[in-house]
Amino acid sequence: MKLILLGAPGAGKGTQAEILSRELNIPTISTGNILRAAMKNGTPVGLKAKAFVEAGQLVPDDVIIGIVEERLAQDDCLNGYILDGVPRTIPQAEALEEKGIAIDYALSIEISDDEIVKRMSGRRTCKECSQTFHIISNPPKKEGVCDFCGGELIVRKDDAPETVKARLSVYHAETEPLKAFYEARGKLKTVSNMPTIEETTDEIRKCLGI
Ligand code: AMP
């Protein structure tokens, strides 16, 4: 299965990608997580990306394509992959096509802007391993501590309400047109965000026939 997850920031792409990744035994490639790790480690990519990420703007396409190409060349991607948060613009989607990076489906998780703003204010992210939690819908076992690695849970800088609004407008302007792009190729599938993570996963399974 070669899958792209589309949807607004906070739609639940990361959470669903992780569940599908375990079930299908294929890796998730999250450009957001790769960029955050690069920023934390102060690599050249991280230094280039920092100002864009912190302002809720998109990192230039060439940086993103380089990251994805390098990651997909690794052996664990041979049987499939889930792209979480990439492509995010039509030029990124075209670049992936030109490089022969195939996909079976682009799955869009649909959710309203109001719901996103409510949701993002409760999101907590592990400083160490990037695992995400939500204080109400998916709380960690111990407040402020990652269930998986024991790392500290923080509010991502770009999850602050003003930045969330900037990210939503970038999503509508730059990323949403990808739905028509993949629809024209017969690859688009859409599911509605459901009240719980499990129900949304069920919708996705039904929609993809897995
Ligand atoms: P995410 O964790 O997917 O919400 O990504 C966090 C931030 O990383 C975004 O707001 C962008 O600044 C940057 N980013 C992640 N993926 C991409 C991409 N495919 N293209 C451009 N910027 C990206």
Side-chain angles (χ1 to χ4, degrees), residues 92-126:
Q92 287 181 19
E94 287 170 346
L96 296 183
E97 264 186 3
E98 276 158 27
K99 290 181 187 298
I101 294 168
I103 65 139
D104 297 307
Y105 302 112
L107 178 88
S108 175
I109 304 176
E110 303 286 323
I111 178 169
S112 73
D113 286 8
D114 285 351
E115 184 67 24
I116 292 286
V117 174
K118 255 196 269 163
R119 199 183 258 204
M120 299 292 255
S121 61
R123 180 150 87 165
R124 299 291 179 270
T125 303
C126 176

